[in-house]
Amino acid sequence: MGPARQDTTTTNKPQAITDTGLRAERVSRTAGGSLIVDGITLAPRPGTVVGLLGPNGSGKSTLLRLLAGVLAPTAGVVTLDGRPLRDLGRREVARRTAVVEQQSDTQVDLTVRDVVRLGRVPHRRAWSPATAEDERAVDEALARTDLTNRADQPWHTLSGGERQRTHIARALAQSPRELLLDEPTNHLDIHHQLDLLHLVASLPLTTVVALHDLNLAAMFCDEVLILNNGRAHAYGTPTEVLTEKLIAEVYGVRAVVTREEGYPSVRFVRR
């Protein structure tokens, strides 16, 4: 299990404005005439894990794509060290920020090492061979994710948990400072969910992760941002934010929230 998180912020307390790291300032995104993300500000503290929580359709994945520069905001701005993403090249952003999607697959016959090597693409010129530095980064990423003994194994033979760890290894091979993950525990059993999030929480990176499971967020996130209908509903530590009242407001369900091992534990009540 992950370590208990220390309470450091207040629910709905405005975040400190900083020009360092990844930051979204009052970002909105409209698609098909609908407002998907509505005026959200997020400035994760360096080295922390921030969880994005909320019901389906609340804007979690869209906000992650805005942070990654995959989508451009309709209003507001996303910055890296004070520089708008729109002013930075895709390669420069990819050298700093790594993304792990919900599920990624390939029809190409690749080994685990081949997949992890893809993380070095932003650091290399087109058609140039891998350097010794590239191979060191790949080896370190494989070791960090406990995949060294799987390096030469075909990708398609891996389990779901091993595939997700491989994608995190690919992200680590980018040598990023920020890591963005969209529902990384989907389709994994409990053991692999805990194993994967323990790995994520142990990384020396600033991490933003979209999650459905409130208990996993409570265990592994330093802070959480609750989204509801595209808006920021609450922000703070899991202990401050994950209350019975908020769960009823946002999710429309009854829950009993207790505190165990330093973080809240949510038990849902049958109707």
Side-chain angles (χ1 to χ4, degrees):
M1 290 189 176
R5 298 298 184 179
Q6 185 177 5
D7 295 346
T8 55
T9 51
T10 302
T11 305
N12 291 321
K13 179 180 178 181
Q15 293 172 264
I17 302 303
T18 175
D19 285 337
T20 60
L22 181 65
R23 180 170 177 266
E25 182 177 3
R26 299 185 63 81
V27 295
S28 298
R29 172 75 182 184
T30 301
S34 299
L35 194 58
I36 309 301
V37 170
D38 186 3
I40 290 177
T41 293
L42 180 65
R45 291 181 295 114
T48 60
V49 178
V50 175
L52 301 182
L53 306 178
N56 288 340
S58 60
K60 300 187 298 294
S61 294
T62 299
L63 179 56
L64 276 178
R65 292 187 177 103
L66 291 169
L67 292 172
V70 175
L71 295 177
T74 307
V77 63
V78 178
T79 60
L80 267 177
D81 294 341
R83 300 175 62 195
L85 291 190
R86 62 176 177 266
D87 296 342
L88 302 173
R90 288 295 306 149
R91 182 178 293 268
E92 186 173 355
V93 173
R95 288 173 178 169
R96 259 292 294 275
T97 303
V99 180
V100 176
E101 299 283 356
Q102 286 189 34
Q103 218 177 4
S104 299
D105 209 345
T106 178
Q107 301 301 317
V108 181
D109 189 16
L110 299 176
T111 66
V112 171
R113 182 179 292 276
D114 291 333
V115 173
V116 177
R117 278 190 180 126
L118 295 175
R120 297 304 299 170
V121 170
H123 298 274
R124 292 161 50 190
R125 294 182 179 179
W127 312 113
S128 63
T131 66
E133 182 180 355
D134 291 330
E135 290 305 305
R136 277 196 302 272
V138 169
D139 288 339
E140 289 172 4
L142 288 167
R144 191 68 188 258
T145 52
D146 197 25
L147 288 168
T148 301
N149 63 343
R150 303 279 193 183
D152 297 320
Q153 184 170 332
W155 158 260
H156 68 271
T157 65
L158 298 178
S159 68
E162 290 166 340
R163 290 189 183 196
Q164 281 296 71
R165 277 196 287 139
T166 301
H167 282 303
I168 291 177
R170 172 193 51 78
L172 293 181
Q174 288 179 232
S175 303
R177 283 166 53 185
E178 288 85 18
L179 179 63
L180 309 176
L181 303 104
D182 190 3
E183 299 288 353
T185 59
N186 269 8
H187 314 297
L188 300 184
D189 60 36
I190 297 285
H191 173 81
H192 286 102
Q193 289 178 21
L194 294 170
D195 185 53
L196 188 76
L197 289 176
H198 182 76
L199 167 64
V200 168
S202 71
L203 298 172
L205 303 174
T206 304
T207 301
V208 182
V209 53
L211 291 169
H212 271 303
D213 192 304
L214 302 185
N215 285 306
L216 289 177
M219 291 171 66
F220 293 101
C221 295
D222 297 291
E223 295 159 351
V224 292
L225 172 64
I226 308 294
L227 301 179
N228 194 19
N229 294 320
R231 296 183 177 181
H233 189 92
Y235 181 86
T237 66
T239 297
E240 295 164 338
V241 171
L242 296 179
T243 64
E244 295 171 5
K245 181 175 182 292
L246 179 138
I247 293 169
E249 290 174 349
V250 174
Y251 293 92
V253 297
R254 291 178 57 206
V256 175
V257 180
T258 57
R259 189 179 179 92
E260 297 180 11
E261 299 186 26
Y263 48 81
S265 175
V266 179
R267 177 174 61 83
F268 295 102
V269 179
R270 292 180 62 179
R271 292 182 179 180

